[in-house]
Amino acid sequence: MSTSQPPTWPHCAHGADPAGDPVGCRGIHVPGHTACLAHLTDADRDAYLAALTPGTRIDHRGTTFTEPLLNALLNALRDPATGHPCLGVAGFESATFEGNAVFRSATFEGNAVFRSATFEGNALFWSATFIGNALFGSATFEGIALFGSATFEGNARFESATFKGIAGFGSATFKSDALFESATFKRNALFESATFKGEAGFWSVTFKGVALFGSATFKGEAGFGSVTFKGVARFGSVAFKGIAGFGSATFERDARFGSATFEDDAGFESATFKDNAGFGSVTFKGNARFESATFKSEAGFGSATFERDAMFGSATFVEAGQFGPLVCAGRVVLSGAVFGGPVTLSLAVRRLECRRTRWSSTAEIRLRYATVDFAHAVFEYPLTIAAEPDLFVLTDGRQLAEDPFPSAPDPGVRIASLRGVDAAHLVLADLDLSGCLFAGTVHLDQLRLEGACTFDTAPPAEHWRRWPPVRFTERRVLAEEHHWRAGQPGAVRGWNVAVLGAGRAGPLQLAPVYRALRKAFEDGKHEPGAADFYYGEMEMRRHADDIPRSERGLLTAYWALSGYGLRASRALAWLGTAMLLTIVLLMAFGLAQDTPKQTATGTVPAGGGKVTFEIDRGDPQKPTGNRFTGERFEKALNITLNSVVFRSSGQDLTTTGTYIEMTSRLTEPVLLGLAVLAVRNRVKR
């Protein structure tokens, strides 16, 4: 009951109300009397106290207690066996304690009702035992309030209580619910080593001094929603065995959770950390939720362990220079988060989600084991994503333990998506890009690839599907080409099917992606890699729907003859085939039967004089008889070899043979040139 409302019990008619209430004293009548305990005559008071025995029910609501009067009451209830006061149901609602209220080691066998009571001096409940409910709602403690080592077997209710002095609950045990909703702690609140076995409700509490919960144990739910910590909040080594809720809490000074353990979910949604947030060496066994939280200073998660998901979606990191190193066996979700200053993220994590994350300054992300979704991330300054080959090293020189990854053989890092990213300032180092989605990435040609960045490859070996057989030469292939080819009718085995949510990109979208990556490799002086992406670009152009049929035919011929000038073996195979065909045709139709003999003809003048001769040679004769002889093969080979290097052999050919040689001198040097070009594209730097 609030002290601002008139009580409903019979009032004492004696005394004067300090507030000027015409009713007078608010104290309830002592049974059998017409006055409260404070206003009984000495004889009546002594008689009443003498009749009390340990464990008696007492009702002194609204009574004003001086220190001697309270001591006299407690002495009357003292248990001779223990030497400590023993009360049954204790009614002190709206009572006023003018001096120190000493309930040290007292036992309350029934409900202890102190609602709206005022403790003008110190309230000393050290080692007290509350077997029933302890009801202190709206009470005011103007001095020190000590409940250290107290035991609350029933509910402990301190809703809207005001602690103007130090509030000490160190080593207290709350076996049932402990509710401090809307309470105000104007000085230090001490809960070190306290044990909360039921629900601990601190919703909307204001701690104006230091809040000390070090080594406390919360076995039930710990509710700190909308709490304001104006002083330092210390939760070091606290054990939260139930759900811990700090949603919308405000930490105006340091928040220290070092070495705390959260065995269930920990909720810090929309919390505000105005000073350092210290979560070093904390263990989160359930999900850790920091969505929409604001970290205005350092976010200290060094050596923290997350056994499930760590969710920082839409969180704001104003000046977090270092985030981690930490270990997470599930996901670290930074989607929608904002980093306002330079930051280094060091994470050993299964999956890192940075969709639409914004970096307003330089950043470096060093990872182990992770699969990274970076779709639509925004950064205006250089940002590096790199795989860390060795264990992370902490500031004290120790290596970060990776207990959630005891059997993981490969600490490599994979990028799942860069869609929607402006890659002009992006650096990727030592990453697996075999499953990365690139379609929609902006300024991909300015992407920097450092170290051993790997891509997926085409299916190996030969695949027979009707005729002709299909053989894929090993090359770097984008994941999206895998997805597209796997979805085509009659696709051969080995192409990877798109996972759910990957979307579909066709040749029209992939051709510019290959072109941009080719340029990125060329700028990095990686010509073999650039050659692979040129091949991919040409393949996508050949299969695109927007090119004319004539261009498609030209590209198909270019692909078939030499793999777009990149497959030397293919060009050499065609060259060998062309040479063999030329030899066969020359032996069959091109070489003359015999070498034509020269003849000289002339006219001798009748009267003598100068004789003029005309030397001519007959037309080569078409071959007859056995055309495939060793001699004819040697001549045909000589002609063919000369044709490859664009020279004339000088052999006597039939008319058909002349055209065969002309065709050979046109096609075979081209095929030889394509083979040389392919070799050069593979070995140049």
Side-chain angles (χ1 to χ4, degrees), residues 126 144 201 230 289 358 388-389 400 437 488 557 565 569:
W126 188 271
I144 297 173
K230 293 184 177 292
R289 309 186 69 95
R358 178 181 293 273
E388 181 65 38
L400 177 66
L437 304 178
Q488 297 303 299
S569 59

Side-chain angles (χ1 to χ4, degrees), residues 326-380:
L326 59 82
V327 178
C328 180
R331 299 177 300 156
V332 172
V333 180
L334 292 170
S335 298
V338 177
F339 290 87
V343 63
T344 298
L345 290 81
S346 303
L347 313 173
V349 58
R350 293 288 186 190
R351 184 174 178 86
L352 173 62
E353 296 182 3
C354 295
R355 293 190 292 268
R356 301 187 185 279
T357 306
R358 178 181 293 273
W359 280 269
S360 298
S361 187
T362 56
E364 181 181 19
I365 305 175
R366 305 201 67 83
L367 303 169
R368 289 171 59 80
Y369 304 102
T371 297
V372 184
D373 186 349
F374 220 66
H376 303 285
V378 179
F379 43 92
E380 303 172 3

Side-chain angles (χ1 to χ4, degrees), residues 147-152 168-175 190-196 216-217:
F147 290 83
S149 299
T151 299
F152 298 86
F169 290 83
S171 299
T173 300
F174 299 86
K175 294 185 177 181
L190 314 177
F191 288 84
E192 303 102 315
S193 301
T195 299
F196 298 84
T217 299

Side-chain angles (χ1 to χ4, degrees), residues 7 9-12 25-30 35-40 45 48 58-66 69-70 73 91-98 116-118:
W9 56 80
H11 299 295
C12 174
C25 176
R26 296 177 181 272
I28 193 171
H29 297 172
V30 174
C36 69
L37 182 62
H39 294 107
L40 287 178
R45 184 184 304 115
Y48 168 72
I58 59 173
D59 186 359
H60 295 290
R61 290 171 287 174
T63 302
T64 299
F65 286 89
T66 61
L69 178 60
L70 178 62
L73 175 63
F92 291 96
E93 185 171 355
S94 296
T96 299
F97 300 88
E98 293 182 342
S116 300
T118 300

Side-chain angles (χ1 to χ4, degrees), residues 303-577:
S303 195
T305 299
F306 298 84
E307 296 187 3
R308 296 182 66 183
D309 293 343
M311 289 167 281
F312 293 84
S314 300
T316 300
F317 299 85
V318 179
E319 296 180 358
Q322 178 75 33
F323 186 76
L326 59 82
V327 178
C328 180
R331 299 177 300 156
V332 172
V333 180
L334 292 170
S335 298
V338 177
F339 290 87
V343 63
T344 298
L345 290 81
S346 303
L347 313 173
V349 58
R350 293 288 186 190
R351 184 174 178 86
L352 173 62
E353 296 182 3
C354 295
R355 293 190 292 268
R356 301 187 185 279
T357 306
R358 178 181 293 273
W359 280 269
S360 298
S361 187
T362 56
E364 181 181 19
I365 305 175
R366 305 201 67 83
L367 303 169
R368 289 171 59 80
Y369 304 102
T371 297
V372 184
D373 186 349
F374 220 66
H376 303 285
V378 179
F379 43 92
E380 303 172 3
Y381 296 88
L383 185 146
T384 300
I385 305 175
E388 181 65 38
D390 302 316
L391 294 173
F392 290 116
V393 178
L394 303 174
T395 54
D396 58 4
R398 294 182 297 112
Q399 290 184 325
L400 177 66
E402 297 179 345
D403 295 337
F405 305 97
S407 60
D410 180 19
V413 179
R414 296 151 295 281
I415 302 293
S417 178
L418 289 175
R419 286 184 171 176
V421 171
D422 187 341
H425 301 289
L426 182 60
V427 180
L428 305 180
D430 300 313
L431 303 180
D432 181 355
L433 301 174
S434 61
C436 184
L437 304 178
F438 285 97
T441 306
V442 182
H443 294 144
L444 192 55
D445 59 320
Q446 299 179 40
L447 174 68
R448 287 183 54 192
L449 300 174
E450 304 288 346
C453 289
T454 59
F455 290 82
D456 207 344
T457 58
E462 296 182 357
H463 300 265
W464 296 83
R465 58 168 192 185
R466 300 178 184 174
W467 182 260
V470 177
R471 182 181 185 277
F472 296 104
T473 305
E474 184 176 349
R475 64 179 174 93
R476 295 170 178 85
V477 177
L478 296 182
E480 287 133 318
E481 182 180 345
H482 266 273
H483 302 162
W484 171 74
R485 289 188 182 273
Q488 297 303 299
V492 300
R493 298 175 59 184
W495 294 105
N496 300 327
V497 179
V499 297
L500 183 63
R504 290 298 178 91
L508 194 60
Q509 294 79 30
L510 293 181
V513 175
Y514 272 114
R515 186 181 306 117
L517 286 173
R518 172 175 62 84
K519 184 178 184 303
F521 270 80
E522 289 174 345
D523 292 343
K525 305 301 180 184
H526 193 328
E527 294 298 338
D532 282 347
F533 287 112
Y534 173 73
Y535 191 100
E537 175 192 353
M538 299 298 288
E539 276 288 271
M540 294 302 99
R541 285 181 56 194
R542 184 167 69 92
H543 290 285
D545 297 330
D546 65 335
I547 65 171
R549 182 175 300 179
S550 58
E551 183 178 345
R552 188 190 307 277
L554 182 61
L555 291 175
T556 301
Y558 192 21
W559 162 77
L561 291 175
S562 64
Y564 308 111
L566 296 173
R567 299 293 180 258
S569 59
R570 191 177 305 179
L572 290 174
W574 279 110
L575 177 60
T577 301

